Amino acid sequence: MRSARGRLLVGLIGLTVLGMAVIDCAAVVVLDAYATNRVDRTLVEVQRNLPPLAGHLVTVDGVAVGQQMPEGFLIVLVAPDGRILERTQPVSLTGEPVTAPTIPDPVPPGWAAEPLTLSSSDTRFRMRSFDLGEHAEILLAGQNSPTQFRYAIIGGSLNAGENAVNQLVVFELVATGAAAIAVSVFGAVLFNRSLREQKQSEQRLQDFVAAASHELRTPLTTIRGWAELQRVSGKPELAAVALSRIEQQADRMSHLVDQLLHLVSLAQDPLRDVPREPVDLRGIAAESIADVSALHPDRRITMDASRESVVAGDEQALRQVVRNLVDNALKHTPPRTSVTVSVQDGCLTVADEGPGMAPDVVARVFERFYRAEGRTSSGGTGLGLSIVQAIVLAHGGEITVTSEPGRGSTFRVSLPTVSSLSDQ
């Protein structure tokens, strides 16, 4: 299990890192291509903005051609025979010189007719050569007459784009690392939680099977014992007693199996068969109390319901809720303990003045087959409160219990009323 969990976690982290890496690479490629295209467009704009005068390129108002270059750009003037006549020194935005790339001298014909990338010790440059025709001249420093040239090679530094790409790479590495750590932590927490829930589910299943086996084994043992006793003894007068006890235990097993099937049905699809019909909760409580009082005339059961309380649900199922809660109060309290059933605004409360329950018992009171040791009881399967909880939850309601040792127990059921459903 742990090995499988480790493989799943490593696979999840690997997929996350791979996905982030693909996104990072795509972003870097797109940003680098954008920076390169931007410099290429600037090369053309710089060439178009060189000051023309009567077909000649000259200095304007004493401003040299190099001073007309944007930050990070350079210009190289090439004679018709390929000799480099003049080159400028590119500078950065802060005014610091930038190392220019090496350009062949003489320049081969057609060199850099299409943009190409050259590297210097500082950065990369995009270079392009422009043919200015036969009449291009420039007045070079220290000369009295203009010098003829044919080509202008203009280069632009990719340093700004590279800085942006480097910052993006750093950011993406940090983001990828953070994402990998977050996925690792989240995945570990998630897998650990899933593993705990699976173990708890398996433990509950084992406890359920063990408890069900124990509950079924008791009547089966009794049936086998009476059958064996009747077979061995051969006494006709014992047959009636044996058959009566066998019938009682068979009924007990049948009741247990019916309750188990009911719980399974509610667990598989709790909302499928629950009708949403108006049900008078006060009327159900009154009828249930009357039935229980007829069976236990010595017990004091009172009812507190000032007005009608109509809820939405299944009348028979809700009748079982009331009956189970009242029976539970009677089973686990001394004979002279009073029980009070209250109904008000969709809430049913069954309170007793019995010995109460310890906190650990309260926490487990709705578990299947759970029966606390030492509680006053006249038997039972330990499924009654589990069925009550399942029915209440299937109706969209809530059931809670409050109890303290020596101060009794109170079960409170809250169900959606007809008016509340109509307002939704």
Side-chain angles (χ1 to χ4, degrees), residues 81-84 104-108:
D81 60 359
R83 292 178 299 107
I84 295 179
D105 187 10
V107 179

Side-chain angles (χ1 to χ4, degrees), residues 196-216:
R196 286 196 302 270
E197 292 177 353
Q198 182 178 358
K199 288 183 177 179
Q200 291 173 357
S201 178
E202 292 176 352
Q203 186 62 44
R204 287 194 298 268
L205 178 59
Q206 292 176 0
D207 294 342
F208 176 79
V209 172
S213 301
H214 174 74
E215 293 295 333
L216 291 172

Side-chain angles (χ1 to χ4, degrees), residues 130-298:
F130 298 93
D131 189 348
L132 302 180
E134 299 178 355
H135 304 290
E137 294 179 343
I138 189 170
L139 184 61
L140 299 176
Q143 296 185 2
N144 296 324
S145 60
T147 300
Q148 185 179 8
F149 68 98
R150 181 66 183 265
Y151 302 97
I153 300 175
I154 302 176
S157 172
L158 296 174
N159 187 55
E162 288 180 340
N163 289 338
V165 170
N166 292 335
Q167 293 176 1
L168 177 63
V169 169
V170 173
F171 172 78
E172 290 177 342
L173 287 176
V174 173
T176 301
I181 295 174
V183 169
S184 301
V185 174
F186 175 76
V189 172
L190 181 62
F191 284 127
N192 286 333
R193 180 182 300 175
S194 299
L195 184 60
R196 286 196 302 270
E197 292 177 353
Q198 182 178 358
K199 288 183 177 179
Q200 291 173 357
S201 178
E202 292 176 352
Q203 186 62 44
R204 287 194 298 268
L205 178 59
Q206 292 176 0
D207 294 342
F208 176 79
V209 172
S213 301
H214 174 74
E215 293 295 333
L216 291 172
R217 185 183 298 113
T218 300
L220 282 174
T221 302
T222 304
I223 291 173
R224 184 183 298 110
W226 279 102
E228 183 69 16
L229 180 61
Q230 170 61 22
R231 184 182 65 82
V232 173
S233 66
K235 298 179 180 180
E237 64 274 12
L238 191 61
V241 178
L243 290 176
S244 176
R245 293 293 295 158
I246 290 174
E247 183 180 7
Q248 291 176 1
Q249 297 303 317
D251 290 340
R252 179 181 175 185
M253 290 179 59
S254 177
H255 178 63
L256 176 61
V257 171
D258 289 341
Q259 288 187 314
L260 289 174
L261 292 176
H262 193 182
L263 277 174
V264 171
S265 176
L266 289 172
Q268 288 180 343
D269 196 354
L271 299 178
R272 181 186 58 185
D273 297 325
V274 177
R276 291 293 185 265
E277 299 175 351
V279 178
D280 181 9
L281 189 59
R282 183 180 64 171
I284 289 179
E287 293 175 5
S288 299
I289 292 175
D291 294 340
V292 173
S293 298
L295 296 175
H296 305 278
D298 56 329

